[in-house]
């Protein structure tokens, strides 16, 4: 029986791994009914590393190159097997290969908005997404912590864990960068650097190196984005309330026309347009005068009252032009237009 077992055994002369495709991080050389020949050859290609494992204990680690397997090239295994100077016979050992190529275009993103503290807004909920690339840097650690004795270990089995680590550390990266949201969105490279710095020691515990990380987009949920747009609009007019009210009124005009097409009371809205412009200007003037101090506000009160009665000619003309457009589209009747025109012209007196 022992003779038959010996005949069935095959002696391995060359140990190597030719990767057939992408996505494999670790691969175990098939050793069933096989033993390694004394003086056999180990071939480790560029972008690979290999380790010998004796009875579950990691022995020697090999980088790229071609090695003749002797006691000199396997010092740790020689010690573990208590060999003297030479192999007495072929030996058995598990050999694992690891791909050290970059695993690129690994996606990450926030499935739900995450809440962070912000210098400008106090607290905001934001979304972000991008990609990253990693490689195996320490095959011994990766073997003991991740891949173990499996025949092969694909990238797909690890990507969920790595993506979770990225999302878990976004808040820490933002806090560490010290950037408010607006600067963060404008400087995505700095955000990516901060996140990479946060992830590096965590990935290193798994034997993995973060080669690169990109932040492709940082955004707010829709409802918060509308508030931010209003804040940006105020900044564009230099926080001038009068100009901002004019901007808001101009933004409302298309909504009036849209309401008319849906059968709404657009005639009343259009007729109130001129009064809305005048009212917005009066409110803006009153607010600006109030901010200048009590004395200035008292002096400006007659002017504000006068402004409430009269309207600037250019504002009346602009309003009449808008009303004329509404009339030409059939939204206003001739009688409604004439009535509003007379009302506006009286304000010039």
């Amino acid at each position: 029986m022992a003779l038959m077992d010996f005949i069935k055994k095959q002696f391995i002369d060359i140990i190597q791994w030719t990767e057939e495709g992408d996505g494999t991080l670790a691969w175990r050389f098939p050793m069933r009914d096989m033993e390694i020949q004394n003086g056999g050859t180990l071939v480790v290609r560029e972008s690979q590393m290999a380790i010998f494992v004796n009875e579950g204990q990691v022995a020697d680690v090999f980088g790229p190159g071609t090695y003749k397997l002797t006691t000199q090239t396997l010092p740790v295994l020689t010690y573990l097997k208590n060999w003297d100077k030479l192999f007495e016979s072929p030996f058995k050992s598990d050999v694992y290969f690891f791909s050290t190529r970059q695993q690129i275009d690994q996606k990450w993103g926030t499935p739900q908005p995450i809440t962070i503290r912000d210098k400008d807004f106090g607290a905001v909920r934001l979304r972000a997404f991008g990609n990253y690339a990693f490689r195996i840097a320490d095959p011994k650690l990766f073997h003991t912590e991740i891949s173990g004795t499996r025949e092969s270990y694909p990238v797909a089995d690890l990507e969920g864990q790595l993506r979770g680590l990225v999302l878990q550390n976004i808040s820490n990266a933002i806090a560490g960068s010290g950037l408010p949201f607006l600067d963060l969105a404008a400087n995505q490279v700095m955000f990516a650097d901060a996140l990479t710095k946060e992830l590096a020691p965590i990935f290193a515990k798994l034997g993995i190196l973060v080669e690169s990380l990109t932040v492709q987009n940082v955004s707010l949920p829709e409802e918060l984005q509308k508030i931010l747009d209003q804040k940006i609009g105020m900044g564009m007019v230099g926080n001038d309330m009068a100009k901002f009210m004019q901007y808001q009124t101009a933004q409302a005009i298309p909504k009036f026309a849209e309401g008319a097409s849906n059968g709404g009371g657009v005639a009343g809205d259009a007729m109130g347009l001129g009064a809305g412009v005048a009212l917005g200007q009066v409110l803006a003037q009153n607010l600006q005068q109030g901010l200048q101090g009590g004395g200035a506000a008292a002096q400006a009160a007659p002017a504000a009252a006068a402004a409430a009665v009269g309207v600037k000619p250019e504002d009346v003309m602009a309003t009449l032009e808008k009303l004329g457009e509404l009339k030409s589209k059939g939204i206003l009747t001739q009688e409604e237009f004439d009535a509003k025109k007379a009302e506006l012209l009286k304000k010039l007196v």
Side-chain angles (χ1 to χ4, degrees):
M1 191 69 175
L3 178 61
M4 292 300 296
D5 291 340
F6 178 79
I7 294 175
K8 289 181 181 178
K9 287 183 179 179
Q10 299 181 34
F11 301 124
I12 304 171
D13 291 327
I14 299 177
I15 302 173
Q16 61 182 338
W17 177 34
T18 303
E19 299 179 58
E20 297 180 354
D22 296 329
T24 302
L25 294 174
W27 178 78
R28 186 179 68 192
F29 188 87
M31 296 292 294
R32 184 177 180 180
D33 297 327
M34 302 176 73
E35 291 186 351
I36 301 173
Q37 185 79 298
N38 182 6
T41 301
L42 172 68
V43 178
V44 182
R45 290 174 168 79
E46 290 293 337
S47 75
Q48 292 180 355
M49 294 188 76
I51 63 173
F52 279 70
V53 178
N54 178 62
E55 298 179 356
Q57 186 173 358
V58 177
D60 300 279
V61 180
F62 295 87
T66 300
Y67 305 88
K68 185 177 181 180
L69 300 177
T70 65
T71 53
Q72 285 74 33
T73 55
L74 293 167
V76 179
L77 193 61
T78 299
Y79 173 77
L80 293 177
K81 287 185 173 293
N82 295 316
W83 290 327
D84 292 327
K85 296 182 179 179
L86 297 174
F87 295 135
E88 296 180 357
S89 65
F91 68 96
K92 198 172 185 66
S93 174
D94 290 325
V95 182
Y96 294 88
F97 286 86
F98 299 86
S99 173
T100 58
R101 290 186 298 154
Q102 287 195 46
Q103 306 299 323
I104 62 173
D105 198 24
Q106 304 298 307
K107 307 293 186 182
W108 67 269
T110 54
Q112 299 294 331
I114 60 174
T115 303
I116 62 168
R117 293 186 178 275
D118 185 76
K119 292 181 180 180
D120 294 337
F121 302 103
V124 296
R125 293 184 299 125
L126 60 81
R127 292 188 177 97
F129 65 85
N131 59 16
Y132 65 97
F134 71 92
R135 72 167 77 238
I136 294 177
D138 187 336
K140 181 177 179 180
L141 188 57
F142 186 83
H143 172 77
T144 56
E145 296 292 333
I146 301 296
S147 60
T149 60
R150 291 174 52 172
E151 292 184 1
S152 66
Y153 195 94
V155 175
D157 286 2
L158 186 62
E159 60 183 1
Q161 174 68 19
L162 298 184
R163 187 186 305 115
L165 291 174
V166 174
L167 299 181
Q168 180 181 342
N169 287 273
I170 288 178
S171 297
N172 294 337
I174 294 175
S177 69
L179 293 174
F181 169 76
L182 292 179
D183 294 337
L184 197 68
N187 197 338
Q188 295 178 0
V189 174
M190 186 175 293
F191 180 21
D193 290 343
L195 186 53
T196 302
K197 183 178 179 181
E198 197 74 26
L199 292 172
I202 300 172
F203 277 41
K205 292 180 180 179
L206 305 178
I208 296 172
L209 174 67
V210 183
E211 282 289 345
S212 63
L213 185 145
T214 66
V215 178
Q216 298 174 351
N217 181 268
V218 180
S219 62
L220 294 173
E222 184 177 356
E223 61 274 14
L224 293 180
Q225 187 63 49
K226 291 179 180 179
I227 297 175
L228 178 60
D229 290 342
Q230 289 186 346
K231 183 178 178 66
I232 294 174
M234 283 292 295
M236 292 176 65
V237 297
N239 292 320
D240 186 322
M241 282 299 298
K243 292 182 180 179
F244 185 68
M245 290 299 294
Q246 291 177 353
Y247 167 77
Q248 291 285 68
T249 303
Q251 292 292 99
I253 291 173
K255 294 182 180 180
F256 292 153
E258 181 181 352
S261 63
N262 294 330
V266 181
D269 291 339
M271 293 180 68
L273 182 61
V277 173
L279 179 60
Q281 290 179 339
V282 172
L283 291 175
Q285 291 172 0
N286 289 341
L287 179 59
Q288 289 177 338
Q289 291 165 358
L291 294 175
Q292 292 173 356
Q299 294 176 0
V309 177
V311 184
K312 293 181 180 180
E314 56 266 30
D315 293 332
V316 173
M317 295 303 298
T319 304
L320 287 174
E321 289 178 2
K322 295 296 181 183
L323 292 173
E325 293 176 4
L326 293 174
K327 181 175 72 68
S328 64
K329 294 178 180 180
I331 298 174
L332 291 180
T333 65
Q334 183 65 47
E335 291 77 16
E336 290 172 336
F337 175 80
D338 291 339
K340 191 59 185 175
K341 176 180 176 182
E343 180 182 345
L344 290 173
L345 292 176
K346 289 180 181 179
K347 295 181 180 294
L348 295 176
V349 182

